[in-house]
Amino acid sequence: VGGIVGGGGGGRGGPVDLLSSPNPGSAAGDGYGGSAQRMTTATHALRQQDDMLADLSTGVSRLRDQTYAIHDETRLHNRLLDDMEGDVDLARQGMEEGALRAAKVKEERNLWRLYMIIAGLSVLLFLLILMGLS
């Protein structure tokens, strides 16, 4: 690690370089205590970074799982829309056939009524002719 971690800089107000800054806690001044503390601080910083990376990895994994779920859901919806489109086409075709049948029935009913009127008038004419001849 580069060794620079944000924080108070020993009164300087800037970042602290963990690998080169003197250790004020070193009592002996022989360098061993300061080096050990710098290593502990660097190790702690690395652990924090590892923890943050693990959390980030978990978040990315969850995001990937959600992306796959959204993809599957989208494919399902597309398939349902395609099925619905076919159903709508069948329904439209059925409606057109029904309308044609209704028009045909209407024509036949009108024709049937005309045939009945013609038959009734023919019977009436026949009766009138018989009455006129008698």
Side-chain angles (χ1 to χ4, degrees):
V1 177
I4 297 178
V5 177
R12 290 181 297 183
V16 176
D17 185 348
L18 295 176
L19 298 179
S20 63
S21 63
N23 182 4
S26 164
D30 57 0
Y32 289 113
S35 176
Q37 186 174 0
R38 280 192 301 260
M39 288 302 289
T40 302
T41 305
T43 302
H44 179 69
L46 286 174
R47 280 193 192 126
Q48 283 181 333
Q49 288 178 355
D50 287 344
D51 291 342
M52 288 190 299
L53 285 174
D55 291 343
L56 185 61
S57 174
T58 301
V60 168
S61 295
R62 271 189 252 138
L63 183 60
R64 185 196 67 216
D65 293 342
Q66 288 177 352
T67 303
Y68 284 138
I70 290 170
H71 174 71
D72 292 341
E73 189 76 17
T74 302
R75 289 179 58 202
L76 173 66
H77 284 210
N78 283 336
R79 187 174 43 228
L80 290 173
L81 285 172
D82 289 341
D83 292 345
M84 188 170 54
E85 182 180 355
D87 293 343
V88 167
D89 287 341
L90 287 174
R92 184 182 47 79
Q93 183 181 6
M95 290 292 289
E96 288 173 356
E97 290 173 0
L100 288 175
R101 269 188 264 127
K104 189 175 180 180
V105 166
K106 182 180 176 186
E107 285 179 25
E108 288 176 1
R109 179 181 282 172
N110 286 339
L111 229 73
W112 180 251
R113 188 182 333 159
L114 287 174
Y115 288 146
M116 293 304 287
I117 290 171
I118 290 172
L121 288 174
S122 297
V123 169
L124 183 63
L125 179 62
F126 180 73
L127 289 175
L128 287 173
I129 291 175
L130 279 178
M131 289 170 62
L133 291 178
S134 9

